[in-house]
């Protein structure tokens, strides 16, 4: 696991330096709409390393201007849609089960992320990204 984490943190550091804030805001920000959720699911399904990598990437996305509900979708989908895990699951439980699980769980993750994100965004100052007093 240390080998994966080392390269993952190097890539996260490069992401912080190379990817512009405007790019993250365009694809994951408030104006991205439903496409932001799709990009979050695609990004999370290619994430290797589980929660050890998903949470630092989520923090990096949020600090660069991603919408909170999209970041929460990324975290939830990172636990559900990783490609290697889905292939492993399909080989043991069948492809039909895997497809049904994904078709049921992804909309639930998006819906719960929207509800939680909207409830927290009402209590956060957008300039400081800290709870209002």
């Amino acid at each position: 696991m240390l080998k994966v984490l080392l390269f993952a943190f190097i890539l996260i550091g490069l992401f912080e330096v190379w990817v512009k804030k405007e790019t993250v805001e365009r694809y994951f920000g408030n104006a991205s709409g439903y496409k932001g959720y799709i990009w979050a699911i695609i990004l999370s399904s290619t994430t290797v390393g589980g929660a050890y990598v998903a949470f630092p990437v989520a923090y990096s996305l949020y600090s660069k201007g991603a919408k909170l509900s999209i970041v929460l979708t990324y975290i939830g989908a990172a636990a559900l849609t990783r490609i290697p895990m889905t292939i492993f699951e399909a080989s043991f439980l069948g492809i039909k089960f895997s497809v049904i699980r994904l078709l049921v769980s992804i909309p639930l993750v998006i819906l719960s992320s929207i509800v939680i994100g909207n409830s927290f965004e009402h209590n956060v100052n957008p300039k400081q990204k800290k709870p209002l007093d």
Side-chain angles (χ1 to χ4, degrees), residues 1 25 28 31 33 35 43-45 68 89 91 102 110 116:
M1 187 56 123
E25 288 175 348
F28 297 99
K35 291 180 183 178
L43 179 64
S44 68
S45 65
L68 181 60
E89 173 187 274
S91 67
L102 289 173
I110 293 172
I116 293 169

Side-chain angles (χ1 to χ4, degrees), residues 39-91:
W39 280 113
I41 292 167
I42 291 170
L43 179 64
S44 68
S45 65
T46 60
T47 302
V48 177
Y52 293 113
V53 177
F55 283 108
V57 170
Y59 174 77
S60 182
L61 287 171
Y62 186 67
S63 67
K64 285 192 174 267
K67 187 176 179 180
L68 181 60
S69 61
I70 294 175
V71 172
L72 293 173
T73 298
Y74 169 79
I75 292 171
L80 297 170
T81 64
R82 288 191 309 262
I83 292 171
M85 181 185 76
T86 305
I87 293 171
F88 183 75
E89 173 187 274
S91 67

Side-chain angles (χ1 to χ4, degrees), residues 61-127:
L61 287 171
Y62 186 67
S63 67
K64 285 192 174 267
K67 187 176 179 180
L68 181 60
S69 61
I70 294 175
V71 172
L72 293 173
T73 298
Y74 169 79
I75 292 171
L80 297 170
T81 64
R82 288 191 309 262
I83 292 171
M85 181 185 76
T86 305
I87 293 171
F88 183 75
E89 173 187 274
S91 67
F92 281 100
L93 299 173
I95 196 159
K96 182 179 177 183
F97 174 83
S98 298
V99 169
I100 291 171
R101 183 187 65 84
L102 289 173
L103 291 176
V104 169
S105 61
I106 290 174
L108 291 174
V109 166
I110 293 172
L111 182 65
S112 63
S113 298
I114 291 171
V115 169
I116 293 169
N118 288 340
S119 68
F120 279 118
E121 283 179 346
H122 291 296
N123 298 326
V124 174
N125 183 350
K127 291 182 182 178

Side-chain angles (χ1 to χ4, degrees), residues 2-41:
L2 289 175
K3 292 177 186 178
V4 172
L5 287 178
L6 175 66
F7 291 112
F9 287 133
I10 289 171
L11 289 174
I12 292 169
L14 292 174
F15 175 82
E16 283 285 331
V17 174
W18 287 346
V19 177
K20 296 178 183 176
K21 185 175 183 173
E22 294 81 23
T23 305
V24 173
E25 288 175 348
R26 182 174 56 219
Y27 291 106
F28 297 99
N30 289 327
S32 64
Y34 72 91
K35 291 180 183 178
Y37 297 100
I38 293 170
W39 280 113
I41 292 167

